[in-house]
Amino acid sequence: MMRAGIMMLAALLAGCGASLPPPETVRFDHKVAGQTLPLPARVMLYVGQEDLDRPLKMQVTTLHSEDSPDVKEGRALAQAATGVLRAAFARVALNESSVRPQIVIRPSGKAVWYKLDGELRLGCGLDAYTADGFPLGTFVGRFRTSTNDYRPDLLPAYGQCLKRATERLLESPALARLAAAGFRDPPPASVEAWMRTLGPFPTPP
């Protein structure tokens, strides 16, 4: 009886007993330049087709890894970033230049599911720019969670990883300066020229 209780406690401490919240439910308590969230800015996330199609890597044994046959890690990253950042900014769109963004963010991430350990480990980042290409900074996060099935946990795990990265973005002096200036629209010609450097935009599904 005592041994069973110890095992249950260990599982809970390892994160096995609690489900992760969806990315779109993430909330922040920050104020930026005295403004409450969501900030009145238009944000475009750019994720290229090759990144969207990247499969999740699985470490099956100590010496052997393989790609997941049915889970696209890049799509989970893009979906999680969209959900999390909508708690921070008034308008967030994925690969849609028609929103006339004032800020462009390139999410990045790497997730690996370790089958022997039953653990999902993630690193993630947000490369943020003004829409005409001025760097605001790179903001990173890490997260790990115990799971024997990566499929339902990849998306919310990325949400938790990106929550930390977004907190660092919200705490940055560069974003505070933009907010204090009122998130002005950069010159359209400069925006168009810099957008071309991002690469081809994926075809909508």
Side-chain angles (χ1 to χ4, degrees):
M1 182 76 173
M2 181 178 294
R3 182 174 179 177
I6 292 173
M7 291 177 65
M8 181 177 294
L9 177 60
L12 288 169
L13 291 174
C16 298
S19 59
L20 298 172
E24 60 271 17
T25 65
V26 166
R27 293 294 179 266
F28 302 98
D29 296 326
H30 296 65
K31 283 191 175 183
V32 179
Q35 300 180 43
T36 57
L37 304 184
L39 297 172
R42 300 185 302 274
V43 176
M44 186 193 80
L45 305 182
Y46 176 79
V47 183
Q49 191 66 55
E50 185 175 340
D51 288 326
L52 286 172
D53 292 338
R54 186 178 69 247
L56 175 68
K57 184 71 68 177
M58 304 184 298
Q59 193 71 36
V60 180
T61 67
T62 304
L63 301 177
H64 176 67
S65 64
E66 60 189 48
D67 293 338
S68 167
D70 57 353
V71 173
K72 301 296 185 186
E73 177 196 352
R75 295 186 184 276
L77 169 66
Q79 184 178 344
T82 303
V84 170
L85 286 165
R86 280 178 176 164
F89 299 97
R91 183 78 185 273
V92 178
L94 175 64
N95 293 331
E96 291 184 26
S97 59
S98 60
V99 300
R100 297 184 299 111
Q102 295 148 324
I103 296 172
V104 174
I105 296 177
R106 298 189 71 156
S108 60
K110 180 67 176 176
V112 179
W113 180 59
Y114 291 82
K115 183 176 182 179
L116 293 179
D117 299 330
E119 189 172 67
L120 188 60
R121 303 175 192 172
L122 308 92
C124 61
L126 299 171
D127 295 324
Y129 306 84
T130 61
D132 55 351
F134 182 82
L136 301 176
T138 296
F139 309 94
V140 300
R142 293 187 180 278
F143 187 74
R144 58 199 297 172
T145 184
S146 297
T147 178
N148 292 316
D149 186 357
Y150 57 85
R151 291 172 180 84
D153 289 330
L154 178 61
L155 178 62
Y158 255 131
Q160 294 302 302
C161 186
L162 290 162
K163 178 183 179 182
R164 183 60 186 133
T166 303
E167 287 172 343
R168 289 171 171 162
L169 168 61
L170 293 171
E171 294 161 0
S172 69
L175 185 65
R177 286 193 294 271
L178 279 186
F183 293 108
R184 298 171 182 168
D185 293 328
S190 299
V191 173
E192 183 178 352
W194 185 73
M195 286 280 193
R196 287 197 293 267
T197 70
L198 293 173
F201 278 64
T203 303

